[in-house]
Amino acid sequence: MSVARCPGSCGEIIQGWILGSEKLISCPIDWYSTVEVRDGSPLANERPLTRATLETVLAHFGYPAALSQTLRVEVHSTIPIAKGMASSTADIAATAVATAHHLGHRLDEAELAALCVSLEPTDSTLFDQLTLFDHQQACTRIACGPSPEFDLLVLESPVILRTADYHRLPREAALQASAARLHQAWEKVQAGCASNSPERLGEAATISAIASQALLPKPEFATLLSLVESCGLYGINVAHSGSVVGLMLDRHRHDVEYLRWALAQQKLSDCWPKQHLVSKVSGGVQLST
């Protein structure tokens, strides 16, 4: 048996038209999908994408397709689905690494990224560092270096939106219209990582979140933005292809309970009834030992 886990994401730090095409930098958080791959018959209720991932890994290493029927995949995850929290990427990446390890192989990040993108648009949570990633073709992956630590109050909406549905929207004109702002956000991400500044990352995320309103608007966004400013938070980030929003902060510096109270006072809890205090973490798939 092999076990691997991959973090989910609180949306993206930035996403948009950067360096000539749509790219993103996911925001990995301490909320994981853990996958076990073992010998055994497939389960009747397996997630279709994890089975497809296992079969893709078998093909990658030259195994016969029939071997799939002798391997079982079990997923343990509470990451909300279809909210923009990278639940599918976490499942797929962890399954791929666990399957490869079970068969006596390893996948480097480039191989893993290409494999995942062959199945669906993929978040950059599978990389160890914050990474600018071409999530549809895997042609670009630029590591940003070690990133500053921060926390997020994740605001979860009941609204669901599958990534595939988002990618069917006509987006290119709106993305290109915001290209200059996203280039500025990309520069701020690099500066934030170079100077260990969560404030810079927050500025970058806020720029990208504002630009995202033209494509997938979040309710009461202006009110949320005012709350971020009045409370002196680092910034606001969003799921550009989902419904989740993150308020970027330091739980030791900012008053999280006051923030929850303010959300309720301004009726924002009606839009975001579930709230989760999480920490930004390093990305990458980890094997259990």
Side-chain angles (χ1 to χ4, degrees):
M1 179 182 74
S2 291
V3 181
R5 70 174 191 166
C6 182
S9 178
C10 178
E12 292 77 38
I13 293 178
I14 61 172
Q15 180 172 339
W17 200 265
I18 306 165
L19 304 180
S21 67
E22 187 180 11
K23 299 178 180 71
L24 57 75
I25 300 176
S26 300
C27 183
I29 57 175
D30 57 346
W31 200 339
Y32 294 85
S33 175
T34 300
V35 177
E36 300 177 10
V37 175
R38 66 178 74 198
D39 295 332
S41 301
L43 297 171
N45 62 345
E46 281 183 0
R47 299 182 180 186
L49 270 175
T50 58
R51 177 54 50 176
T53 303
L54 183 146
E55 293 169 351
T56 301
V57 172
L58 292 179
H60 177 77
F61 289 112
Y63 289 94
L67 185 61
S68 171
Q69 295 307 304
T70 70
L71 297 172
R72 174 176 295 186
V73 180
E74 295 186 32
V75 178
H76 307 277
S77 176
T78 60
I79 301 171
I81 295 172
K83 301 289 182 73
M85 297 188 69
S87 60
S88 289
T89 294
D91 290 349
I92 291 170
T95 299
V97 170
T99 301
H101 186 262
H102 186 70
L103 297 170
H105 302 281
R106 66 179 297 275
L107 292 164
D108 62 30
E109 287 189 339
E111 290 175 308
L112 179 60
L115 187 151
C116 291
V117 166
S118 74
L119 294 163
E120 69 167 17
T122 298
D123 295 276
S124 66
T125 46
L126 55 83
F127 300 110
D128 288 340
Q129 297 183 345
L130 290 186
T131 298
L132 183 70
F133 185 50
D134 170 6
H135 54 294
Q136 300 181 75
Q137 303 294 329
C139 298
T140 302
R141 51 185 186 92
I142 302 174
C144 303
S147 73
E149 299 303 314
F150 56 89
D151 303 303
L152 303 106
L153 186 63
V154 177
L155 308 182
E156 182 187 346
S157 161
V159 175
I160 62 173
L161 176 67
R162 299 194 178 276
T163 302
D165 295 334
Y166 170 78
H167 282 91
R168 281 192 283 269
L169 296 172
R171 310 187 314 284
E172 188 166 327
L175 288 169
Q176 291 197 19
S178 298
R181 281 182 286 171
L182 264 296
H183 180 73
Q184 180 188 21
W186 166 229
E187 290 184 330
K188 285 182 178 290
V189 169
Q190 295 174 90
C193 290
S195 61
N196 193 37
S197 170
E199 292 86 356
R200 285 285 182 88
L201 280 189
E203 291 170 7
T206 302
I207 290 169
S208 189
I210 292 170
S212 178
Q213 284 295 101
L215 276 165
L216 193 63
K218 302 298 186 285
E220 301 295 340
F221 182 80
T223 308
L224 282 173
L225 197 57
S226 295
L227 187 60
V228 167
E229 293 172 354
S230 65
C231 292
L233 308 186
Y234 296 141
I236 183 169
N237 79 311
V238 301
H240 293 66
S241 61
S243 59
V244 75
V245 170
L247 305 182
M248 302 169 65
L249 51 86
D250 179 342
R251 69 180 73 196
H252 302 297
R253 169 183 169 188
H254 300 105
D255 190 337
V256 177
E257 289 311 308
Y258 172 80
L259 188 57
R260 292 183 190 272
W261 175 84
L263 288 165
Q265 284 294 110
Q266 299 190 41
K267 307 296 184 183
L268 295 172
S269 296
D270 295 346
C271 298
W272 319 99
K274 294 183 180 179
Q275 300 164 13
H276 315 276
L277 183 62
V278 301
S279 295
K280 178 264 169 192
V281 296
S282 297
V285 182
Q286 304 162 4
L287 280 164
S288 295
T289 56

